[in-house]
């Protein structure tokens, strides 16, 4: 509808930004979004702009005049057939409503205020989330094919998307905390019981970096990987995440990350650790039990003791699971028993638990 210059004071500093007002069907009224972040007024003066407010107000006036002219030209040519498809994706509207309810845009504006971006990071993130909900494809294809088909228009380039992702990645823990706090405030979270799991992601790059390190990924590739630990509440809502170098052992990382994430989110409830055989070690199990937590770990039959191996290989006790046509899908059996676990710490001391 129109552009305007916003003057905001935060922590005894004055920041300027150009905002755009538009009609929102969600609130049935006018909303605002950031068009361009200008930064700290003092730094703008130091850069040679004598009166930043007057300087950028002139730019706002020019933007409004340009928009008025474009609207006038559009009215003249409205009868022409457009080459752009009128079809739009609308399936992401529930996510749009959730984001609007969370009201985290101001946090994004504050976080990006020192970067002097000529685009709105919040707008980029929202568009990528909406496009991902419609069709999870690569970032380049998202920019080329998906964003133009969203009902929400995009006003940024592909390079700006990459810059926004780099910024989000460098500050991801702060953004996770912003969304976690907003989720708790608007929807509530249930931390009486939480769940934790680790995974990794490979990168198709030629050389390692300080963070992306070579080790087998879950797809058994040899590309550099990054590990990620994720903490969920009782309703499977993410409460926190932490990344770590891909070549590190996940066993000590598992213990450290869980403690850090629970402390950061003030969580004292029971945590259920979900892990594959790579994390199924005696020290992890003992620490889980000592903390009053639970675990669901897979374990290789090759590493079972003799008694357990004999029980697994016996054909007795298996239950068949079949489909509606009577075809066998799989067989399973279960056992409830006591097991002893022990390990030797770095000082040579042995610890155990039954």
């Amino acid at each position: 509808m129109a552009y305007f210059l916003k003057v905001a004071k935060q922590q005894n500093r004055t920041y300027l930004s150009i905002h755009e007002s538009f009609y929102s069907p969600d609130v049935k009224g006018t909303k605002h979004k950031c068009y361009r972040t200008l930064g700290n007024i003092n730094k703008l003066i130091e850069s040679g702009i004598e009166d930043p407010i007057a300087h950028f107000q002139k730019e706002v006036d020019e933007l409004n005049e340009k928009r008025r002219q474009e609207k006038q030209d559009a009215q003249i040519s409205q009868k022409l057939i457009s080459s752009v498809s009128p079809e739009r994706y609308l399936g992401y509207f529930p996510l749009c409503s959730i984001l609007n309810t969370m009201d985290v845009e101001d946090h994004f504006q504050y976080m990006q205020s020192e970067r002097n971006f000529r685009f709105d990071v919040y707008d980029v993130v929202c568009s990528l989330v909406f496009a991902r909900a419609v069709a999870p494809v690569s970032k380049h294809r998202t920019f080329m094919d998906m964003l133009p088909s969203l009902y929400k228009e995009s006003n940024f380039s592909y390079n700006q998307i990459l810059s926004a992702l780099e910024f989000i990645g460098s500050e991801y823990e702060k953004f996770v905390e912003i969304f976690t706090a907003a989720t708790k405030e608007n929807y509530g979270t249930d931390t009486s019981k939480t769940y934790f799991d680790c995974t990794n992601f490979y990168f198709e790059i030629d050389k390692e970096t300080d963070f992306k390190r070579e080790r087998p990924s879950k797809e058994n590739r040899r590309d550099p990987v990054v590990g990620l630990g994720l903490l969920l509440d009782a309703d499977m809502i993410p409460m926190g995440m932490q990344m770590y170098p891909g070549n590190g052992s996940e066993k000590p990382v598992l213990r450290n990350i869980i403690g850090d994430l629970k402390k950061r989110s003030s969580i004292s409830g029971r945590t259920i650790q979900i892990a594959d055989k790579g994390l199924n070690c005696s020290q992890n199990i003992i620490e889980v039990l000592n903390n009053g937590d639970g675990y669901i770990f897979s374990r290789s039959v090759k590493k079972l003791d003799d008694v357990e191996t004999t029980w697994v290989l016996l054909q007795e006790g298996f239950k068949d699971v079949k489909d509606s046509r009577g075809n066998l899908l799989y067989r399973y059996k279960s056992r409830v028993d006591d097991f002893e676990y022990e390990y030797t710490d770095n000082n040579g001391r042995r610890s155990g638990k039954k």
Side-chain angles (χ1 to χ4, degrees):
M1 296 171 63
Y3 295 95
F4 64 92
L5 184 65
K6 181 177 180 180
V7 181
K9 293 185 178 295
Q10 294 180 351
Q11 298 183 348
N12 298 323
R13 296 181 180 179
T14 301
Y15 295 90
L16 300 182
S17 59
I18 298 176
H19 279 246
E20 180 183 4
S21 64
F22 62 97
Y23 176 79
S24 172
D26 297 327
V27 299
K28 297 182 180 180
T30 302
K31 291 193 68 174
H32 303 148
K33 66 178 180 180
C34 182
Y35 169 77
R36 179 184 170 192
T37 300
L38 303 173
N40 189 326
I41 193 171
N42 292 330
K43 290 187 176 181
L44 292 172
I45 294 175
E46 292 174 0
S47 68
I49 303 176
E50 184 176 347
D51 187 348
I53 293 179
H55 176 85
F56 289 107
Q57 182 60 52
K58 181 179 178 181
E59 182 175 332
V60 168
D61 295 339
E62 293 174 351
L63 287 171
N64 285 323
E65 175 59 26
K66 181 180 178 182
R67 167 169 285 188
R68 186 194 66 77
Q69 186 63 47
E70 289 175 347
K71 184 177 180 180
Q72 183 178 352
D73 294 342
Q75 291 174 345
I76 296 174
S77 59
Q78 62 182 348
K79 295 183 179 181
L80 298 177
I81 298 176
S82 174
S83 60
V84 179
S85 172
E87 294 184 355
R88 293 291 182 268
Y89 293 110
L90 305 178
Y92 64 87
F93 274 19
L95 290 177
C96 183
S97 177
I98 291 173
L99 275 174
N100 289 336
T101 302
M102 285 187 169
D103 193 25
V104 296
E105 184 175 359
D106 287 344
H107 295 286
F108 274 74
Q109 301 303 330
Y110 176 71
M111 290 283 292
Q112 75 170 76
S113 61
E114 298 295 330
R115 284 290 194 107
N116 294 321
F117 286 139
R118 299 179 67 89
F119 60 92
D120 184 2
V121 173
Y122 179 76
D123 190 31
V124 173
V125 171
C126 290
S127 296
L128 291 179
V129 170
F130 300 155
R132 176 67 49 147
V134 172
V137 294
S138 68
K139 298 298 183 294
H140 187 265
R141 186 177 170 190
T142 294
F143 175 75
M144 298 300 296
D145 299 337
M146 305 313 303
L147 295 185
S149 298
L150 297 181
Y151 183 79
K152 178 180 181 293
E153 294 184 1
S154 302
N155 297 310
F156 43 80
S157 67
Y158 178 64
N159 286 336
Q160 288 174 333
I161 289 180
L162 299 182
S163 296
L165 292 174
E166 180 277 326
F167 172 60
I168 293 292
S170 66
E171 302 285 354
Y172 79 92
E173 290 181 324
K174 296 179 182 178
F175 286 107
V176 168
E177 290 183 3
I178 289 172
F179 278 105
T180 300
T183 301
K184 183 176 182 179
E185 179 180 351
N186 291 281
Y187 298 99
T189 54
D190 181 2
T191 57
S192 60
K193 179 170 57 180
T194 54
Y195 297 88
F196 179 86
D197 193 10
C198 283
T199 189
N200 58 47
F201 307 91
Y202 70 85
F203 293 79
E204 295 179 337
I205 55 179
D206 296 329
K207 296 182 179 180
E208 294 180 303
T209 67
D210 291 338
F211 209 66
K212 304 179 184 70
R213 307 303 296 268
E214 289 186 2
R215 62 165 292 174
S217 67
K218 57 180 180 289
E219 297 86 3
N220 291 322
R221 297 173 62 106
R222 286 288 176 176
D223 298 294
V225 302
V226 166
L228 180 144
L230 180 66
L231 185 68
L232 307 173
D233 80 346
D235 297 317
M236 302 294 108
I237 296 176
M239 295 295 299
M241 59 171 280
Q242 188 168 328
M243 294 187 289
Y244 52 91
N247 67 333
S249 172
E250 290 180 330
K251 295 177 181 180
V253 167
L254 179 71
R255 298 187 293 270
N256 297 336
I257 290 180
I258 292 177
D260 183 53
L261 291 178
K262 293 179 70 172
K263 181 179 179 181
R264 190 182 306 167
S265 301
S266 301
I267 296 174
S268 58
R270 193 165 185 252
T271 296
I272 311 299
Q273 299 182 22
I274 315 296
D276 59 18
K277 57 183 177 294
L279 297 177
N280 185 358
C281 67
S282 296
Q283 185 174 359
N284 278 346
I285 294 174
I286 291 173
E287 292 206 8
V288 167
L289 298 177
N290 288 338
N291 292 333
D293 292 334
Y295 64 91
I296 300 176
F297 287 173
S298 65
R299 191 172 184 182
S300 172
V301 174
K302 296 179 180 179
K303 295 185 179 181
L304 296 177
D305 57 33
D306 293 339
V307 175
E308 291 175 298
T309 301
T310 301
W311 172 78
V312 168
L313 297 179
L314 287 175
Q315 294 302 309
E316 292 82 2
F318 277 99
K319 297 181 180 180
D320 296 342
V321 177
K322 301 180 179 180
D323 60 19
S324 58
R325 298 181 178 179
N327 298 316
L328 180 64
L329 297 177
Y330 60 88
R331 309 179 73 206
Y332 77 94
K333 63 179 178 178
S334 61
R335 178 184 177 187
V336 178
D337 205 341
D338 292 328
F339 301 91
E340 292 186 2
Y341 294 97
E342 63 179 13
Y343 72 95
T344 303
D345 62 21
N346 295 331
N347 298 319
R349 294 175 298 189
R350 298 186 67 81
S351 299
K353 189 83 173 182
K354 183 175 181 180

